[in-house]
Every structure is written in structure tokens, then in C-alpha cells.
Amino acid sequence: MTTTDGDSTQTSRMRLLNAGKTLFAKSGYEQTSTAAIARESGSSESQLIRYFGGKAGLLEAIFNEAWLGLNEHVQQLISESAHGRDAIIRILSLMIQAFSRDHDIAFLFLFEGRRMRGGSHEVLLSKGFVQFNQVVGMLIDRGRDDGSFRTDVHPQVLGSAMLGVAEGMLRDRVLAERNHEPVPFDDSEILRTFTAMVNGLAP
């Protein structure tokens, strides 16, 4: 079967994305070379540079692809939620399900998503993560307005506390899985604990 140039480009790009995700999750970003990614994808380093500009650009693209899929569903959950607090609980449930389906992306989100990159030692955040944080901030403001969140705590404190609890539980589970240790809790226990914590922030 013949393919158009567009199909070939998309296939090569997706192979690089999948290879990068697998190798970054297996060996870590710093330990993964562009040559290894090219070999794994059946492509070339020049193609990696062409599509992503380098290894950092590839990692950012992996995050953006994953966040794009999540953020599309987030908007639907927001419209279906009774109030801001309910929406945040629903979004966390969505993230748990996504991480359970794809352990590689879970590892990258939790361990490679906000580390310093490059000579400037800046923490490079993907566009999708920035957008997600903005949505969480908007839902906290909505909850403070609709009476589902308390107003005597700064909204940034609320956001940091909620995301910190969720990330901490997910990170512990990923570490246990990678170390072949008993998993301390399942999806339902994470969601139940997070829900109790978020409901505790009601007025």
C-alpha cells in the first residue's frame, strides 16, 4: 500500500513519540540518547531534530500529546459538574484512569514533568500542563464563588494542597510498581482519599 508524504511524516513522528516515551520512562530523560531513540523508532536522529528540534522538544511534545487528550475530556467534565469542588474530584478521577492505562506516561508526568532542563536550569513546563493548572485555578475560583470551597484559604494554597496530595499518592504507587514491591493502594483508594481531602476544604 502506498502512502502520501503526509502519512509518512505522521507515521515517523508518531514512532519517535512512542519510542521517546518508552525509553524516557525506562531509563530516564538524561540517560536516553537521541541515537537510542532513533534506533528504537526505526528512524534517524535527523528526523528527530526535524520534527522536535532535539530531545527536550521531543519530551515536551510527548507531554503535550498526553495533556491534549486529557484536557479535551476535562472540558466535558466541567460542564457536567454541579460545582467547582465536584469538577476537581471528577478531573482527578480522569487522571487516575489515564495513568492506570499508560504506566509510561504516568512515570514521565510524575518524575520528569517538572525538572530543570538545559544550561539555564529552568523548569520547562509543557503547554498542556500550564493549561491544566489554569483550569484547576479556574475551578477553585468557581468553587469559592459557588460556595463549594472555603474562602479563608488562599486559592493557590488550595491548588497546591490538592495537587500535592494526588501526585504524592500516584508517585508512591508508581515507585512501588517499578521496584516490584506490593502496590500500597489502588485507584479506588486514591480517589476515596482525595475526595475526602477535597471535601474537607468545603466551607
Side-chain angles (χ1 to χ4, degrees):
M1 181 178 66
T2 59
T3 59
T4 65
D5 290 342
D7 291 337
S8 177
T9 297
Q10 186 65 14
T11 299
S12 180
R13 182 178 183 277
M14 288 305 301
R15 288 204 312 269
L16 285 164
L17 283 169
N18 290 332
K21 183 180 74 169
T22 298
L23 292 177
F24 290 152
K26 178 181 179 181
S27 303
Y29 173 85
E30 304 296 343
Q31 288 70 39
T32 301
S33 67
T34 54
I37 296 169
R39 284 195 303 272
E40 179 76 12
S41 67
S43 185
S44 65
E45 291 182 78
S46 62
Q47 290 287 81
L48 192 156
I49 300 298
R50 174 188 174 190
Y51 295 130
F52 306 105
K55 192 167 71 167
L58 175 60
L59 180 63
E60 182 180 7
I62 291 168
F63 284 137
N64 282 335
E65 291 277 335
W67 280 119
L68 179 63
L70 280 173
N71 285 334
E72 288 176 352
H73 293 292
V74 162
Q75 298 305 318
Q76 179 180 349
L77 291 178
I78 291 174
S79 65
E80 295 173 350
S81 300
H83 46 66
R85 180 160 46 86
D86 178 49
I88 285 182
I89 292 171
R90 286 170 177 251
I91 289 172
L92 189 276
S93 178
L94 174 70
M95 289 185 63
I96 291 174
Q97 293 169 16
F99 286 174
S100 292
R101 288 193 302 269
D102 192 333
H103 290 192
D104 286 347
I105 205 66
F107 178 83
L108 293 179
F109 271 135
L110 296 168
F111 292 94
E112 297 286 358
R114 279 172 282 174
R115 292 175 58 183
M116 292 184 294
R117 310 287 179 200
S120 64
H121 298 296
E122 293 180 349
V123 178
L124 303 180
L125 303 178
S126 70
K127 295 176 183 177
F129 179 76
V130 171
Q131 182 183 355
F132 181 81
N133 264 354
Q134 290 172 343
V135 169
V136 170
M138 179 270 291
L139 291 175
I140 290 172
D141 289 339
R142 173 181 163 185
R144 286 161 62 90
D145 291 338
D146 64 28
S148 60
F149 276 129
R150 58 193 301 168
T151 58
D152 60 339
V153 179
H154 195 283
Q156 287 186 339
V157 173
L158 292 176
S160 294
M162 288 186 289
L163 291 179
V165 166
E167 287 185 4
M169 289 188 289
L170 291 167
R171 187 178 295 111
D172 286 348
R173 187 174 70 177
V174 169
L175 280 174
E177 291 170 344
R178 290 178 73 88
N179 292 330
H180 306 291
E181 298 173 352
V183 177
F185 29 68
D186 60 16
D187 288 358
S188 63
E189 289 173 305
I190 293 176
L191 183 58
R192 186 164 59 248
T193 302
F194 181 80
T195 301
M197 183 265 187
V198 173
N199 285 336
L201 297 173

